[in-house]
């Protein structure tokens, strides 16, 4: 465990069988606790580093300090004994965009040092695990380390991958290692990966899951018409705890789906349920406010009281020539068009970016027309699979893979790169076209930030030229449109 306490199911089992007359077994005191260093424990770690790397191993002639130690963004994790003695520590460095200085989700670990390894009691492994957890919680998308050859087995055991030979420092060979950050993969597995299998029965009809060429789209062309239909349900927990926001979002996500296909919204149908009339009133008020903002009427639907809270909305729009998600080709440039204003929705930090609730109706309706004006080869609304997962779905529908240039992705100043790539961003559209999108009317921002590739999945390209794999295959399993 990260607090240094040893635990095994076998050794713990007899405790449960103790007689009640024996009393409570003595609580085992943790041997150490891993925490973010303060000024005192950081100084202790610096001294520990010096003894290990300069005096004992002689990797550095006079000092192991470098420019990262002076960087205020650098973090030190330390393992501290109950009496306050620092037993080990590791340095975590944030590598930012060299052009702008912005965080891009790239971290590395270094200067891992512990007390005499004969008495270390698993401190090194605990520090490595804690480092992985810490950088992922900070929005990391890449986490590297350069490890002495003799420690490679430990890192392999902890789940790290080797990425090649490293430098020789002080006569000791090193290997480059990388922690497989799973943020994008976990988001996809939780939201989209099961769809290919679960939705297979619907494919028995020729137009099941959309006419040919539109499988995997945000909306579905209604056969024989120029109508586009879209449908989204809001998470029941959100409808329960934040009913007005749920009502607003039920319109937002549906209008976004129509926007991605270049369709003009013409009407909504709602299916709403609530345990009480008061709760229903709050849901409907949020829905009505959004319908007014986008100037799209709620034509009817279904309402039910005395049941658990639930909300689903169907949107209808029109276009004679819908934009497909599966219209991209290998070599097309990928651009992100997004509203970067706003802030994290209270209660949904790092999960839902609210850029729309404070916009005026004219701004919202203008944003809803952007794809219809641009007419790109392919477009998709960024959904709960996040930006990277949604790009994976566009690529899968197009029969391609995709690559994102991490440093080129436009994002709000108040969001880490990892959170931005995994959240629901309010209004954001991914487009693929031979021509990149550089400019867009305010309040939107746009920038080319990737390309469609022949290799399936989604990959990240970093400023140092490294490419990492976010997804190694399609997202839904539905295949090309």
């Amino acid at each position: 465990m990260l607090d240094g306490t040893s635990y095994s199911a076998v050794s713990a089992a007899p405790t449960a069988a103790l007689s009640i007359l024996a009393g409570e077994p003595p609580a085992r005191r943790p041997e150490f606790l891993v925490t973010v260093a303060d000024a005192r424990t950081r100084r202790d770690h610096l001294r520990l580093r010096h003894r290990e790397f300069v005096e004992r191993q002689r990797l550095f002639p006079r000092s192991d300090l470098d420019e990262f130690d002076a960087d205020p963004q650098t973090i030190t994790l330390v393992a501290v004994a109950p009496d306050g003695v620092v037993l080990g520590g590791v340095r975590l460095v944030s590598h930012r965009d060299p052009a702008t200085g912005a965080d891009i989700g790239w971290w590395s670990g270094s200067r891992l040092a512990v007390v005499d390894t004969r008495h270390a009691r698993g401190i090194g492994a605990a520090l490595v695990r804690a480092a992985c957890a810490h950088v992922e919680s900070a929005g990391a998308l890449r986490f590297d380390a350069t490890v002495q050859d003799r420690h490679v087995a430990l890192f392999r055991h902890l789940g790290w991958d080797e990425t090649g030979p490293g430098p020789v420092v002080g006569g000791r060979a090193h290997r480059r290692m990388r922690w497989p950050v799973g943020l994008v993969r976990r988001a996809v597995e939780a939201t989209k990966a099961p769809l290919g299998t679960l939705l297979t029965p619907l494919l028995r009809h020729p137009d099941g899951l959309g006419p040919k060429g539109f499988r995997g789209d945000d909306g579905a062309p209604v056969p024989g018409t120029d109508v586009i239909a879209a449908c989204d349900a809001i998470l029941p927990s959100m409808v329960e705890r934040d009913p007005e926001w749920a009502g607003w979002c039920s319109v937002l996500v549906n209008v976004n789906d129509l926007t991605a296909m270049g369709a003009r919204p013409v009407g909504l149908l709602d299916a709403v349920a609530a345990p009480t009339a008061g709760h229903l009133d709050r849901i409907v008020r949020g829905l009505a406010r959004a319908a007014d903002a986008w100037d799209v009427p709620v034509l009817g639907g279904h309402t039910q009281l005395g049941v658990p809270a639930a909300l689903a909305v169907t949107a209808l729009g029109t276009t004679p020539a819908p934009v497909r998600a599966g219209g991209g080709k290998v070599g097309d440039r990928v651009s992100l068009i997004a509203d970067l204003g706003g802030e994290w929705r209270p209660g949904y930090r790092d999960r839902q970016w609210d850029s729309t609730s404070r916009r005026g109706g004219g701004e919202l309706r203008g944003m809803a027309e952007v794809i219809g004006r641009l007419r790109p080869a392919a477009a998709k609304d960024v959904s709960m699979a996040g930006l990277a997962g949604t790009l994976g779905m566009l690529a899968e529908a197009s029969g391609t893979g995709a690559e994102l240039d991490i440093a080129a992705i436009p994002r709000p100043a108040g969001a880490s790169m990892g959170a931005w790539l995994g959240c629901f961003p309010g209004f954001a559209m991914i487009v693929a076209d031979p021509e990149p999108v550089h400019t867009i009317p305010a309040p939107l921002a746009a920038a080319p930030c990737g390309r469609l590739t022949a290799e399936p999945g989604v990959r990240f390209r970093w400023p140092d030229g490294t490419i990492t794999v976010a997804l190694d295959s399609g997202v839904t399993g539905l295949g090309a449109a």
Side-chain angles (χ1 to χ4, degrees):
M1 299 176 70
L2 291 184
D3 65 0
T5 303
S6 298
Y7 176 86
S8 74
V10 174
S11 62
T15 301
L18 286 175
S19 165
I20 191 171
L21 299 178
E24 290 291 330
R28 183 172 180 185
R29 191 179 188 188
E31 296 173 353
F32 59 86
L33 181 70
V34 176
T35 186
V36 176
D38 57 18
R40 193 271 299 176
T41 54
R42 183 174 180 273
R43 287 194 300 269
D44 289 348
H45 177 241
L46 290 174
R47 285 192 287 267
L48 183 59
R49 281 169 40 181
H50 186 87
R51 287 197 300 270
E52 179 64 23
F53 300 128
V54 179
E55 297 176 3
R56 194 178 76 81
Q57 297 190 39
R58 301 184 185 276
L59 299 183
F60 305 97
R62 288 176 297 275
S63 172
D64 73 324
L65 296 176
D66 59 22
E67 70 275 15
F68 298 121
D69 290 304
D71 186 343
Q73 301 297 320
T74 296
I75 293 169
T76 299
L77 299 183
V78 288
V80 182
D83 61 2
V85 173
V86 172
L87 303 176
V90 63
R91 184 179 69 175
L92 306 179
V93 173
S94 172
H95 300 274
R96 295 181 292 281
D97 179 5
T100 66
D103 158 61
I104 54 174
W106 174 16
W107 290 77
S108 67
S110 55
R111 300 300 194 268
L112 174 63
V114 300
V115 293
D116 184 354
T117 54
R118 292 170 297 177
H119 307 96
R121 301 185 299 277
I123 294 168
L127 284 165
V128 173
R129 292 190 186 99
C132 296
H134 186 92
V135 298
E136 288 209 39
S137 70
L141 297 165
R142 173 182 172 186
F143 187 34
D144 300 326
T146 301
V147 178
Q148 291 186 30
D149 279 5
R150 62 197 179 108
H151 297 313
V152 166
L154 168 64
F155 277 74
R156 283 185 191 146
H157 175 73
L158 295 174
W160 288 61
D161 299 322
E162 288 188 61
T163 59
V168 175
V169 181
R172 292 181 183 267
H174 289 66
R175 300 290 294 177
R176 300 189 189 280
M177 309 289 290
R178 180 166 300 133
W179 172 248
V181 177
L183 184 148
V184 176
R185 175 180 48 78
R186 288 193 297 270
V188 164
E189 289 175 351
T191 58
K192 303 297 181 180
L195 297 183
T197 300
L198 296 175
L199 301 181
T200 297
L202 302 178
L203 296 174
R204 289 196 291 263
H205 193 283
D207 287 330
L209 300 183
K212 183 175 176 56
F214 289 93
R215 184 181 303 168
D217 261 292
D218 293 293
V222 178
T225 75
D226 64 357
V227 175
I228 304 295
C231 182
D232 271 296
I234 303 301
L235 289 172
S237 59
M238 183 172 156
V239 184
E240 180 65 39
R241 79 179 217 179
D242 204 349
E244 288 94 344
W245 177 239
W248 176 272
C249 287
S250 68
V251 177
L252 165 64
V253 295
N254 275 284
V255 171
N256 283 354
D257 286 345
L258 296 178
T259 298
M261 300 190 72
R264 180 179 65 85
V266 296
L268 305 169
L269 299 171
D270 70 329
V272 58
T276 66
H279 199 108
L280 178 69
D281 176 65
R282 295 175 66 189
I283 298 170
V284 171
R285 277 192 280 117
L287 195 159
R289 188 167 72 89
D292 290 343
W294 274 280
D295 192 23
V296 55
V298 178
L299 302 173
H302 176 76
T303 305
Q304 193 168 2
L305 281 171
V307 295
L311 176 62
V313 168
T314 296
L316 304 174
T318 60
T319 176
V323 176
R324 299 188 297 134
K329 292 181 172 57
V330 172
D332 281 355
R333 297 295 301 276
V334 170
S335 303
L336 177 66
I337 301 169
D339 182 359
L340 304 183
E343 60 189 357
W344 292 116
R345 177 73 181 177
Y348 302 92
R349 183 172 182 82
D350 292 347
R351 292 180 292 150
Q352 293 185 27
W353 184 262
D354 179 12
S355 63
T356 59
S357 66
R358 298 178 189 176
R359 293 286 184 202
E363 290 177 313
L364 295 173
R365 292 190 290 275
M367 290 190 285
E369 297 171 356
V370 65
I371 300 301
R373 289 200 209 100
L374 286 174
R375 309 296 308 172
K380 198 158 180 64
D381 160 46
V382 178
S383 69
M384 294 305 292
L387 193 157
T390 301
L391 175 58
M393 289 191 286
L394 182 150
E396 181 180 21
S398 297
T400 71
E403 184 178 283
L404 273 174
D405 293 320
I406 287 292
I409 299 170
R411 66 178 172 92
S416 71
M417 185 62 76
W420 181 240
L421 261 63
C423 76
F424 172 70
F427 182 95
M429 301 282 155
I430 296 174
V431 301
D433 194 79
E435 296 299 321
V437 181
H438 289 277
T439 58
I440 205 79
L444 294 175
C449 54
R451 60 202 56 79
L452 297 185
T453 64
E455 191 172 12
V458 176
R459 285 157 179 80
F460 296 153
R461 180 178 289 276
W462 298 88
D464 65 347
T466 296
I467 295 176
T468 59
V469 178
L471 297 169
D472 57 9
S473 63
V475 173
T476 66
L478 291 170

